[in-house]
Amino acid sequence: MRRVMASAPAEEAPVVPEAQARPKLRTEFAFELPRGYVDDAGNVHHSGVMRLATARDELVPLRDDRVRENSAFLTVVLLARVITRIGDVTDVHAGVIENLFASDLAFLQDMYRRINSEGHTRAGVGCPECGHEFVVDVAGGRLGES
């Protein structure tokens, strides 16, 4: 004789509208360079946009002869692929990245790491005087601007 076990009715999962289920993916991040890119005409450009990197963005530079000769050039080629604009400059290429001030290059390297591994541009900081801890957006506005 075969026994059939009755099962409790399955609870239906609540229906969540698609817009609420997952926040929209942010793929572009605005930034403000600490010093600014100086173009050939002497104009200084501070604001820009960096997009999320794809696997292709990280693989293609490895075939670049400049990177093969000098691995330090990888950063330059990679940033040139993911930065879509610096000020009025929309043709961002390795030559543009090479002419950034070292502090701006370091800023962009850190931003690249943050948005591609952590998914945001926020950083926790602490006041050296009072020890108060707070969060800042490293891509945020220039000093003194809100």
Side-chain angles (χ1 to χ4, degrees):
M1 177 185 218
R2 195 167 163 207
R3 249 173 132 170
V4 178
M5 296 190 58
S7 61
E11 288 187 31
E12 290 186 29
V15 177
V16 179
E18 186 66 30
Q20 289 178 358
R22 186 177 296 167
K24 185 176 179 182
L25 178 63
R26 185 174 172 195
T27 60
E28 291 190 331
F29 297 82
F31 61 80
E32 291 286 328
L33 294 173
R35 299 231 187 262
Y37 167 66
V38 181
D39 65 20
D40 293 336
N43 300 313
V44 182
H45 305 273
H46 291 281
S47 62
V49 176
M50 180 185 294
R51 66 172 173 77
L52 284 178
T54 63
R56 180 180 205 82
D57 291 323
E58 294 202 349
L59 293 171
V60 167
L62 299 176
R63 294 189 307 240
D64 190 300
D65 289 336
R66 298 167 294 185
V67 174
R68 288 182 183 176
E69 291 175 16
N70 181 358
S71 62
F73 206 73
L74 175 62
T75 298
V76 171
V77 176
L78 186 56
L79 288 175
R81 289 184 63 86
V82 298
I83 295 173
T84 59
R85 180 181 62 77
I86 298 177
D88 296 333
V89 180
T90 56
D91 180 20
V92 180
H93 50 80
V96 171
I97 303 300
E98 285 180 301
N99 286 311
L100 290 171
F101 293 107
S103 58
D104 290 334
L105 181 64
F107 168 83
L108 291 169
Q109 286 175 304
D110 183 57
M111 182 173 172
Y112 177 90
R113 182 188 56 78
R114 285 183 185 281
I115 68 172
N116 286 290
S117 62
E118 299 173 14
H120 60 81
T121 57
R122 294 179 307 279
V125 296
C127 174
E129 297 280 325
C130 68
H132 176 75
E133 294 184 359
F134 53 98
V135 175
V136 296
D137 187 342
V138 295
R142 301 187 29 107
L143 292 176
E145 295 179 0
S146 52

